[in-house]
Amino acid sequence: MGLLDLLIAATIPVLKVLLITALGTFLALDRVDILKDDARRHVNNVVFYVFNPALIASKLAETVTYESIVKMWFMPVNILITFIIGSALGWILVHLTRPPTRLRGLIVGCCAAGNMGNMFLIMIPAVCKEKGSPFGAPDACQSYGLAYISLSMAVGAIYLWTYVYNIVRSSATDSNDDEPAAREVSAAEEGNFTKSLLHSQSPRLGIKDAKPEEIVDSSNKQTFMSKLGHINWKLIFAPSTIGAIVGFVIGLTPFIRNAMIGDGPLHLIQDTASLLGDGAIPTLTLILGANLLKGLQGSGMHKSMLFGIVLTRYIALPLIGIVIVKAALYLGFIPDDPLYQFILLLQFAVPPAMNIGVITQLFGAGETECSVIMLWAYALASVSLTLWSTFFMWLVA
C-alpha cells in the first residue's frame, strides 16, 4: 500500500469529520439559530440516553461471539492501559500548566480517552478497500475489523462514562463551589485536587456523603458489603454501559442472537436499534461543531495546555503503545493477526473522544475550551494518523 493511498485512506475520514463539524458551526450561528445553547443541551440528552446506547448495543450484538471474545481478550486490557497512562500524563500536564479548576477534568479526560470507535468505523473499512493492504481480502478484513471496532467502541464507552464522566463532573462541581468566593486556585488546592477525586464528599463520583473522619481514620474499617452500599450504581451504569451489557448478552447468547440477528423473528428490534445508532456519529459531530463557535470567539485555553494534550496523544502515547503491543505479542497475549495488532496500536494514536464534548455540555463546564481542543486535535489528526498508520502497517506486516 503506497504512501499516497495511505494518505488518502487516513485523511478522508478526518476530512469528513471536519466537514460535519463545519456544518454544526454554521447551524449555531446567530442568523441561523438552529443549534443554540438550549438546542444543544436537548440534543445532547438524546445522544446520551438513546443514540450512544443503541449504537453500542447494535454493533456488539451483530459482531461479538464467544469465539471472538476469547480471541480479543487483550483489547479491554489494552484500552485500560491507554486510559491509565493517558491519565497519568494528564495529571502531570495539570500540575505543570495549573489550569482553572473547571478545566482540570477536561484536560485529564482528553489525555486519557481516545476516539475508540467512531474514527475506526470510518477509517478501517477505507483501509481494507485499498489495494495492497496488508490485511488480506477486503471482505474478510471488514468483517473482522467490524468485530474488533465494536468491542473497542463498547469498552471505550464503558471507561469513558464511568471514569472521564465523573472526572469532568467532579471538576465542574468543584468549580461551581469556588465561584461564590471568587478566589484563585492556590498551589495547595492544586495538590489536593487528586485527593478530592479519590475521596469525594459528594455523590458526583458515585460515592455518597461520608464524614471526614471516616475517610481519614484507617482504623474505621468497613465491610465489603457496606462499601457496596455507598456506591451510586446509577451513575456508574450510564446508558452507554447498559447498552454494552445488552449487546454482550445478545451476542454471547446463541438463541437470543439467532432470534434478533439476520432473518430471526425479532430482527426488527435489532434493525431499529441499528437505525438509531447510525445517528450517533453525525449528531455528536454536529454538536462538536456548534460548540466550536464559542471557541472561535475566544477561550481561556493557553497554548501550553493545547500543546501538552497534542504531545500526549500524538507522540507519547503512540510510542508507549508500540512497546506494550510488541511486548504482548512476544508474551503470546495476542494472536499473530496484523489487523488486530494494527487496531491495538491505533488505540494509542487516535484523537480525544468526541463524547467528551457531550460530557462538558451536560455539565456546562469547559464547552468552549473543549471545542478548541477538538478543533486542533482533529485538524492535526489528519497528519498524525497518516504518519502513525504508515509506521504501524510497516510494523505489523
Coordinates of all heavy atoms in Angstrom, one line a residue, residues 30-88:
D30 N -25.8 32.9 14.9 CA -27.0 33.7 15.3 C -28.0 33.8 14.2 O -29.2 33.8 14.4 CB -26.6 35.1 15.8 CG -25.8 35.0 17.2 OD1 -26.0 34.0 17.9 OD2 -25.0 35.9 17.4
R31 N -27.6 34.0 13.0 CA -28.5 34.3 11.9 C -29.2 33.0 11.5 O -30.2 33.0 10.8 CB -27.8 34.9 10.7 CG -26.7 34.1 10.1 CD -26.1 34.8 8.9 NE -25.1 34.1 8.2 CZ -23.8 34.3 8.5 NH1 -23.4 35.1 9.5 NH2 -22.9 33.6 7.9
V32 N -28.6 31.8 11.8 CA -29.2 30.5 11.5 C -30.1 30.0 12.7 O -31.2 29.6 12.5 CB -28.2 29.5 11.1 CG1 -28.8 28.1 10.8 CG2 -27.3 30.0 10.0
D33 N -29.5 30.1 13.9 CA -30.2 29.9 15.2 C -30.9 28.5 15.2 O -32.1 28.4 15.6 CB -31.2 31.0 15.4 CG -31.7 31.0 16.8 OD1 -30.9 30.5 17.7 OD2 -32.8 31.6 17.1
I34 N -30.2 27.4 14.9 CA -30.7 26.1 15.0 C -30.1 25.3 16.1 O -30.8 24.7 16.9 CB -30.5 25.3 13.7 CG1 -31.3 26.0 12.5 CG2 -30.9 23.8 13.8 CD1 -31.1 25.3 11.2
L35 N -28.8 25.4 16.3 CA -28.1 24.7 17.4 C -27.6 25.7 18.4 O -26.4 25.7 18.7 CB -27.0 23.8 16.8 CG -27.3 22.5 16.2 CD1 -26.1 21.8 15.7 CD2 -28.1 21.6 17.1
K36 N -28.5 26.4 19.0 CA -28.1 27.3 20.1 C -27.9 26.5 21.4 O -28.1 25.3 21.4 CB -29.1 28.4 20.3 CG -29.3 29.3 19.0 CD -28.0 29.9 18.5 CE -27.5 31.0 19.4 NZ -26.3 31.7 18.9
D37 N -27.7 27.2 22.5 CA -27.4 26.5 23.8 C -28.4 25.5 24.2 O -28.1 24.4 24.5 CB -27.1 27.5 24.9 CG -25.8 28.3 24.7 OD1 -25.0 27.9 23.8 OD2 -25.7 29.4 25.3
D38 N -29.7 26.0 24.2 CA -30.8 25.1 24.7 C -30.9 23.9 23.8 O -31.1 22.8 24.2 CB -32.1 25.9 24.8 CG -32.1 26.9 25.9 OD1 -31.3 26.7 26.9 OD2 -32.9 27.8 25.9
A39 N -30.8 24.2 22.5 CA -31.0 23.1 21.5 C -29.9 22.0 21.7 O -30.1 20.8 21.6 CB -31.0 23.6 20.1
R40 N -28.7 22.5 21.9 CA -27.6 21.6 22.1 C -27.7 20.7 23.3 O -27.4 19.5 23.3 CB -26.2 22.3 22.1 CG -25.8 23.0 20.8 CD -24.3 23.2 20.8 NE -23.9 24.1 21.8 CZ -23.9 25.5 21.7 NH1 -24.4 26.0 20.6 NH2 -23.4 26.2 22.7
R41 N -28.2 21.3 24.4 CA -28.4 20.6 25.6 C -29.5 19.5 25.4 O -29.3 18.3 25.9 CB -28.9 21.5 26.8 CG -27.7 22.2 27.4 CD -28.1 22.9 28.7 NE -29.0 24.1 28.4 CZ -28.5 25.3 28.3 NH1 -27.2 25.5 28.4 NH2 -29.3 26.3 28.0
H42 N -30.5 19.8 24.7 CA -31.6 18.8 24.5 C -31.1 17.7 23.5 O -31.3 16.5 23.8 CB -32.8 19.5 23.8 CG -33.5 20.4 24.8 ND1 -33.9 20.0 26.0 CD2 -34.0 21.7 24.6 CE1 -34.5 21.0 26.6 NE2 -34.6 22.0 25.8
V43 N -30.3 18.1 22.5 CA -29.8 17.1 21.6 C -28.8 16.2 22.3 O -28.7 15.0 22.1 CB -29.1 17.7 20.4 CG1 -28.4 16.7 19.5 CG2 -30.2 18.5 19.6
N44 N -28.0 16.8 23.2 CA -27.0 16.0 24.0 C -27.7 14.9 24.8 O -27.2 13.8 24.9 CB -26.2 16.9 24.9 CG -24.9 17.3 24.3 OD1 -24.2 16.5 23.8 ND2 -24.5 18.6 24.4
N45 N -28.8 15.3 25.4 CA -29.6 14.3 26.2 C -30.1 13.1 25.3 O -30.0 12.0 25.8 CB -30.8 15.0 26.9 CG -30.4 15.8 28.1 OD1 -29.4 15.5 28.7 ND2 -31.1 16.9 28.3
V46 N -30.5 13.4 24.1 CA -30.9 12.4 23.2 C -29.7 11.5 22.8 O -29.8 10.3 22.8 CB -31.5 13.0 21.9 CG1 -31.9 11.9 20.9 CG2 -32.8 13.8 22.2
V47 N -28.6 12.1 22.6 CA -27.4 11.3 22.3 C -27.0 10.4 23.5 O -26.7 9.2 23.3 CB -26.2 12.2 21.9 CG1 -24.9 11.4 21.8 CG2 -26.5 13.0 20.6
F48 N -27.0 11.0 24.6 CA -26.6 10.3 25.9 C -27.5 9.1 26.2 O -27.0 8.1 26.5 CB -26.6 11.3 27.0 CG -26.2 10.7 28.3 CD1 -24.9 10.3 28.6 CD2 -27.1 10.6 29.4 CE1 -24.5 9.8 29.8 CE2 -26.7 10.1 30.6 CZ -25.4 9.7 30.8
Y49 N -28.8 9.4 26.1 CA -29.8 8.3 26.5 C -30.3 7.4 25.4 O -30.8 6.3 25.7 CB -31.0 9.0 27.2 CG -30.7 9.6 28.5 CD1 -30.6 11.0 28.7 CD2 -30.6 8.8 29.6 CE1 -30.3 11.5 29.9 CE2 -30.3 9.3 30.9 CZ -30.2 10.7 31.0 OH -29.9 11.2 32.3
V50 N -30.1 7.8 24.1 CA -30.7 7.0 23.1 C -29.6 6.6 22.0 O -29.4 5.4 21.9 CB -31.8 7.8 22.4 CG1 -32.4 6.9 21.2 CG2 -32.9 8.2 23.3
F51 N -29.0 7.5 21.4 CA -28.2 7.2 20.2 C -26.9 6.4 20.6 O -26.7 5.3 20.0 CB -27.7 8.5 19.5 CG -28.8 9.2 18.7 CD1 -28.6 10.4 18.2 CD2 -30.0 8.5 18.5 CE1 -29.6 11.0 17.5 CE2 -31.0 9.2 17.8 CZ -30.8 10.4 17.3
N52 N -26.2 6.8 21.6 CA -25.0 6.1 22.0 C -25.3 4.6 22.5 O -24.6 3.7 22.0 CB -24.2 6.8 23.1 CG -23.2 7.8 22.6 OD1 -22.9 7.8 21.4 ND2 -22.8 8.8 23.4
P53 N -26.2 4.4 23.4 CA -26.5 3.1 23.8 C -27.0 2.2 22.6 O -26.6 1.0 22.5 CB -27.7 3.2 24.8 CG -27.6 4.6 25.3 CD -27.0 5.4 24.2
A54 N -27.8 2.8 21.7 CA -28.3 2.0 20.6 C -27.1 1.6 19.7 O -27.1 0.5 19.1 CB -29.3 2.8 19.8
L55 N -26.2 2.5 19.4 CA -25.1 2.2 18.6 C -24.2 1.1 19.1 O -23.9 0.2 18.4 CB -24.2 3.5 18.4 CG -22.9 3.4 17.6 CD1 -23.2 3.0 16.2 CD2 -22.1 4.7 17.8
I56 N -23.9 1.2 20.4 CA -23.0 0.2 21.0 C -23.7 -1.1 21.1 O -23.1 -2.2 20.8 CB -22.6 0.7 22.4 CG1 -21.7 2.0 22.3 CG2 -21.9 -0.4 23.2 CD1 -21.4 2.6 23.6
A57 N -24.9 -1.1 21.5 CA -25.7 -2.4 21.7 C -25.8 -3.1 20.3 O -25.6 -4.3 20.2 CB -27.0 -2.2 22.3
S58 N -26.2 -2.4 19.3 CA -26.4 -3.0 18.0 C -25.2 -3.5 17.3 O -25.1 -4.6 16.8 CB -27.1 -2.0 17.0 OG -26.3 -0.8 16.8
K59 N -24.1 -2.8 17.4 CA -22.8 -3.2 16.8 C -22.2 -4.4 17.6 O -21.7 -5.4 16.9 CB -21.8 -2.1 16.9 CG -22.1 -0.9 16.0 CD -22.2 -1.3 14.5 CE -22.5 -0.1 13.6 NZ -22.7 -0.5 12.2
L60 N -22.3 -4.4 18.9 CA -21.9 -5.6 19.6 C -22.7 -6.8 19.3 O -22.2 -7.9 19.2 CB -21.9 -5.3 21.1 CG -20.7 -4.5 21.7 CD1 -20.9 -4.2 23.2 CD2 -19.4 -5.2 21.5
A61 N -24.0 -6.7 19.3 CA -24.9 -7.8 19.1 C -24.6 -8.4 17.7 O -24.7 -9.7 17.5 CB -26.3 -7.3 19.1
E62 N -24.3 -7.6 16.7 CA -24.0 -8.1 15.4 C -22.7 -8.9 15.2 O -22.6 -9.8 14.5 CB -24.0 -7.0 14.4 CG -25.4 -6.4 14.1 CD -25.3 -5.2 13.2 OE1 -24.2 -4.9 12.7 OE2 -26.4 -4.6 12.9
T63 N -21.7 -8.4 16.0 CA -20.3 -8.9 15.7 C -19.6 -9.7 16.8 O -18.7 -10.5 16.5 CB -19.4 -7.7 15.4 OG1 -19.4 -6.8 16.5 CG2 -19.9 -6.9 14.2
V64 N -20.1 -9.6 18.0 CA -19.4 -10.3 19.1 C -20.0 -11.7 19.3 O -21.2 -11.8 19.5 CB -19.5 -9.4 20.4 CG1 -19.0 -10.2 21.6 CG2 -18.7 -8.2 20.3
T65 N -19.1 -12.6 19.4 CA -19.5 -14.0 19.7 C -18.5 -14.5 20.8 O -17.5 -13.8 21.1 CB -19.4 -14.9 18.5 OG1 -18.0 -15.0 18.0 CG2 -20.3 -14.5 17.4
Y66 N -18.8 -15.7 21.3 CA -17.9 -16.2 22.4 C -16.5 -16.4 21.8 O -15.5 -16.1 22.5 CB -18.4 -17.6 22.9 CG -17.6 -18.2 23.9 CD1 -17.5 -17.8 25.2 CD2 -16.8 -19.3 23.5 CE1 -16.7 -18.4 26.1 CE2 -15.9 -19.9 24.4 CZ -15.9 -19.5 25.7 OH -15.0 -20.1 26.7
E67 N -16.4 -16.9 20.6 CA -15.1 -17.2 19.9 C -14.3 -15.9 19.8 O -13.1 -15.8 20.0 CB -15.3 -17.9 18.6 CG -15.8 -19.3 18.7 CD -17.3 -19.4 19.0 OE1 -18.0 -18.3 18.8 OE2 -17.8 -20.5 19.3
S68 N -15.0 -14.8 19.3 CA -14.3 -13.6 19.1 C -13.9 -12.9 20.4 O -12.8 -12.3 20.5 CB -15.2 -12.6 18.4 OG -16.3 -12.2 19.1
I69 N -14.7 -13.1 21.5 CA -14.3 -12.6 22.8 C -13.0 -13.3 23.3 O -12.1 -12.6 23.9 CB -15.4 -12.7 23.8 CG1 -16.6 -11.8 23.5 CG2 -14.9 -12.5 25.2 CD1 -16.2 -10.3 23.7
V70 N -12.9 -14.6 23.2 CA -11.7 -15.3 23.6 C -10.5 -14.8 22.8 O -9.4 -14.6 23.4 CB -11.9 -16.8 23.4 CG1 -10.6 -17.6 23.6 CG2 -13.0 -17.4 24.3
K71 N -10.7 -14.6 21.6 CA -9.5 -14.1 20.7 C -9.1 -12.7 21.1 O -7.9 -12.3 21.1 CB -9.9 -14.2 19.3 CG -8.9 -13.7 18.3 CD -9.3 -13.7 16.9 CE -8.2 -13.2 15.9 NZ -8.6 -13.3 14.5
M72 N -10.1 -11.8 21.5 CA -9.9 -10.4 21.7 C -9.8 -10.0 23.2 O -9.9 -8.9 23.5 CB -11.0 -9.6 21.0 CG -11.1 -9.8 19.5 SD -12.3 -8.7 18.8 CE -13.8 -9.3 19.5
W73 N -9.5 -11.0 24.0 CA -9.5 -10.7 25.5 C -8.5 -9.6 25.9 O -8.7 -8.8 26.8 CB -9.2 -11.9 26.3 CG -7.7 -12.4 26.2 CD1 -7.2 -13.2 25.3 CD2 -6.6 -11.9 27.0 NE1 -5.8 -13.4 25.5 CE2 -5.5 -12.6 26.6 CE3 -6.5 -11.0 28.1 CZ2 -4.2 -12.4 27.2 CZ3 -5.3 -10.8 28.7 CH2 -4.2 -11.5 28.2
F74 N -7.4 -9.4 25.1 CA -6.4 -8.4 25.5 C -6.9 -7.0 25.1 O -6.3 -6.0 25.7 CB -5.1 -8.7 24.8 CG -4.0 -7.8 25.2 CD1 -3.3 -7.9 26.4 CD2 -3.6 -6.7 24.3 CE1 -2.3 -7.1 26.8 CE2 -2.6 -5.9 24.7 CZ -1.9 -6.0 25.9
M75 N -7.8 -6.8 24.2 CA -8.2 -5.5 23.8 C -8.7 -4.6 25.0 O -8.3 -3.5 25.1 CB -9.3 -5.5 22.7 CG -9.6 -4.1 22.2 SD -10.7 -4.2 20.7 CE -9.6 -4.7 19.5
P76 N -9.7 -5.1 25.9 CA -10.1 -4.3 27.0 C -8.9 -3.9 27.9 O -8.9 -2.8 28.5 CB -11.1 -5.2 27.8 CG -11.6 -6.1 26.7 CD -10.4 -6.4 25.8
V77 N -7.9 -4.8 28.0 CA -6.7 -4.5 28.8 C -5.9 -3.4 28.2 O -5.4 -2.5 28.8 CB -5.9 -5.8 29.0 CG1 -4.6 -5.4 29.8 CG2 -6.6 -6.9 29.7
N78 N -5.8 -3.5 26.8 CA -5.0 -2.5 26.1 C -5.7 -1.1 26.2 O -5.0 -0.1 26.4 CB -5.0 -2.9 24.6 CG -4.0 -2.1 23.8 OD1 -2.8 -2.2 24.0 ND2 -4.5 -1.3 22.9
I79 N -7.0 -1.1 26.1 CA -7.7 0.2 26.2 C -7.6 0.8 27.7 O -7.4 2.0 27.9 CB -9.2 0.0 25.9 CG1 -9.3 -0.4 24.4 CG2 -9.9 1.3 26.1 CD1 -10.7 -0.7 24.0
L80 N -7.6 -0.1 28.7 CA -7.4 0.3 30.0 C -6.1 0.9 30.2 O -5.9 1.9 30.9 CB -7.7 -0.9 31.0 CG -7.5 -0.6 32.5 CD1 -8.4 0.5 33.0 CD2 -7.6 -1.8 33.3
I81 N -5.1 0.3 29.6 CA -3.7 0.8 29.7 C -3.6 2.2 29.1 O -3.0 3.1 29.6 CB -2.7 -0.1 29.0 CG1 -2.6 -1.4 29.8 CG2 -1.3 0.5 28.9 CD1 -1.8 -2.5 29.1
T82 N -4.3 2.4 28.0 CA -4.3 3.8 27.4 C -4.9 4.8 28.3 O -4.4 5.9 28.4 CB -5.0 3.8 26.0 OG1 -6.5 3.6 26.2 CG2 -4.5 2.7 25.1
F83 N -6.0 4.4 29.0 CA -6.6 5.3 29.9 C -5.7 5.6 31.1 O -5.6 6.8 31.6 CB -7.9 4.8 30.4 CG -9.1 5.1 29.6 CD1 -9.3 4.5 28.3 CD2 -10.1 6.0 30.0 CE1 -10.4 4.9 27.5 CE2 -11.2 6.4 29.2 CZ -11.3 5.8 27.9
I84 N -5.1 4.6 31.7 CA -4.2 4.8 32.8 C -3.0 5.7 32.5 O -2.7 6.6 33.2 CB -3.7 3.4 33.4 CG1 -4.9 2.6 33.9 CG2 -2.7 3.6 34.5 CD1 -4.6 1.2 34.4
I85 N -2.3 5.3 31.4 CA -1.1 6.1 31.0 C -1.5 7.5 30.6 O -0.9 8.5 31.0 CB -0.4 5.4 29.9 CG1 0.2 4.1 30.4 CG2 0.8 6.3 29.4 CD1 0.8 3.2 29.3
G86 N -2.6 7.7 29.9 CA -3.1 9.0 29.5 C -3.5 9.8 30.7 O -3.2 11.0 30.7
S87 N -4.1 9.2 31.7 CA -4.5 9.9 32.9 C -3.3 10.4 33.6 O -3.2 11.6 34.1 CB -5.3 9.0 33.8 OG -6.6 8.7 33.2
A88 N -2.3 9.5 33.7 CA -1.0 9.9 34.4 C -0.4 11.1 33.7 O 0.1 12.1 34.4 CB -0.1 8.7 34.5

